Amino acid sequence: PYYVSIHEDLFLEASLHSSDPLLKLFLHTCVASPTGHNSTTGVHTIIKDGCVKDPTYAEFYSPNRHTLRFKFNAFQSIRSNPVAYLQCELVVCRAFDYSSRCYQGCVRRSKREANSDL
């Protein structure tokens, strides 16, 4: 466990351990929830489909494509729970493949497309 106070900035780093210099990381989705399960109850969305949902989120420079560095304000919307679990989905792409998910950035799904998943 990592202990932080509410409204304290939480700094994170995700790294891909690979000898291939032509791989790139992309933060696709990141949520904080009161349980370690894939629940939607009480979830605070930080990033969804590559789109920033938490105004306190900021990405920082990294010297290589294998590492992502970012921060956000510690779980503002889950303050009633003493514990929060961070769950992030990252995508690995070929560097300089501009048609890959890593280079598309924020992708907003249409309501019609979202409803078709039901």
Side-chain angles (χ1 to χ4, degrees):
Y2 185 78
Y3 299 96
V4 293
S5 301
I6 297 297
H7 299 299
E8 184 178 342
D9 282 341
L10 182 60
F11 294 85
L12 296 117
E13 179 176 281
S15 295
L16 173 65
H17 297 280
S18 170
S19 60
D20 187 342
L22 293 177
L23 294 178
K24 176 179 174 57
L25 274 178
F26 174 71
L27 184 58
H28 183 269
T29 301
C30 200
V31 298
S33 65
T35 69
H37 308 292
N38 286 336
S39 167
T40 56
T41 306
V43 168
H44 173 69
T45 303
I46 300 156
I47 299 278
K48 183 174 181 174
D49 298 321
C51 302
V52 175
K53 300 295 182 181
D54 182 329
T56 67
Y57 172 86
E59 196 168 312
F60 295 99
Y61 170 78
S62 173
N64 65 61
R65 290 180 285 273
H66 285 178
T67 303
L68 285 175
R69 293 176 177 165
F70 59 98
K71 71 109 181 154
F72 58 93
N73 199 270
F75 318 126
Q76 321 182 50
S77 65
I78 322 179
R79 6 174 173 240
S80 60
N81 295 305
V83 175
Y85 294 84
L86 187 63
Q87 300 173 42
C88 298
E89 295 177 18
L90 293 104
V91 177
V92 178
C93 303
R94 273 263 167 240
F96 311 112
D97 176 359
Y98 298 109
S99 64
S100 72
R101 182 66 188 94
C102 293
Y103 289 94
Q104 292 172 7
C106 173
V107 174
R108 301 191 191 282
R109 294 173 39 175
S110 69
K111 287 185 179 183
R112 181 180 208 180
E113 183 183 340
N115 287 339
S116 68
D117 292 341
L118 296 177

